[in-house]
Amino acid sequence: MCFWSPWEAACWAVIVQRSSMVIASRLKQRIAERYGAEVVVDGRAYSAFPPPVTLLEAGGLGLPAQKEEWVRGLAAAALDGVLTTEHLRSLAPEEALAELRALPGVGPFSAGLILIRGAGAPDAFPGDEPRLFAILREAYGLPQDAPPAAYRRLADAWRPYRSWASFLFRASTYGTLRDDPAPR
């Protein structure tokens, strides 16, 4: 359920923006094959996603120019220690999410993905994710105009596993809601 690191999760969040999962997966794999190390497991070779230092100056990733610029910005942040599990989990979830949203190409959805599935933070509630709010409105019968505070109060009952409860709600209804806003 988790990425190998917050760095890899951040790159995935940028690569997949406004793209299909299939295309984004292929792009990520090509980047790993071109710039990553080969790892052999049980006699089979795999390409590991490259470290930040490798992509800091890399060009020709096969991404739009804006996304390549964002990846380089994320690489710089990772080298500064921002995109480490230790750093992100040392902060209160709200602080970590705010810090992540300040990174290039990272919006609310991406920040939650990086913290929860990149750093494995068990108790962070991605409190401004429209798709999750739609799922919770349906599951709990909340009104369409329920304020974000209503969702946070609801999620308080899931402590200390708000991250995983949120993830499971999203996974259980993946692709079933109409007018689903695209992740950002």
Side-chain angles (χ1 to χ4, degrees):
M1 290 183 30
C2 286
F3 286 85
W4 286 104
S5 68
W7 152 249
E8 185 175 357
C11 288
W12 171 252
V14 164
I15 293 167
V16 77
Q17 284 180 31
R18 305 219 182 263
S19 180
S20 77
M21 296 280 277
V22 171
I23 291 171
S25 292
R26 287 182 187 146
L27 286 168
K28 184 176 177 269
Q29 183 61 34
R30 279 189 223 138
I31 292 168
E33 288 168 357
R34 182 169 181 192
Y35 295 101
E38 186 175 278
V39 179
V40 178
V41 179
D42 288 333
R44 186 168 176 196
Y46 298 91
S47 298
F49 194 76
V53 69
T54 303
L55 295 187
L56 185 61
E57 299 295 327
L61 300 177
L63 302 172
Q66 179 65 68
K67 287 186 179 184
E68 287 200 19
E69 183 180 322
W70 289 342
V71 167
R72 284 191 294 279
L74 293 172
L79 292 171
D80 287 342
V82 174
L83 289 173
T84 66
T85 299
E86 298 78 16
H87 172 70
L88 293 171
R89 289 185 68 172
S90 74
L91 302 172
E94 296 74 22
E95 289 176 72
L97 290 168
E99 191 171 294
L100 289 167
R101 282 191 301 267
L103 296 176
V106 176
F109 178 84
S110 297
L113 180 137
I114 296 164
L115 182 60
I116 294 167
R117 295 194 53 218
D123 195 34
F125 179 65
D128 50 7
E129 189 181 316
R131 183 165 185 261
L132 177 60
F133 285 5
I135 293 165
L136 295 177
R137 276 195 304 275
E138 186 174 309
Y140 288 91
L142 296 173
Q144 184 71 27
D145 63 347
Y151 300 100
R152 285 192 297 274
R153 279 192 303 273
L154 188 67
D156 279 342
W158 309 334
R159 287 181 186 270
Y161 301 109
R162 293 177 298 165
S163 299
W164 303 119
S166 299
F167 177 81
L168 291 172
F169 268 108
R170 290 188 87 245
S172 70
T173 60
Y174 189 78
T176 62
L177 294 178
R178 283 186 236 140
D179 301 322
D180 185 16
R184 311 241 185 313

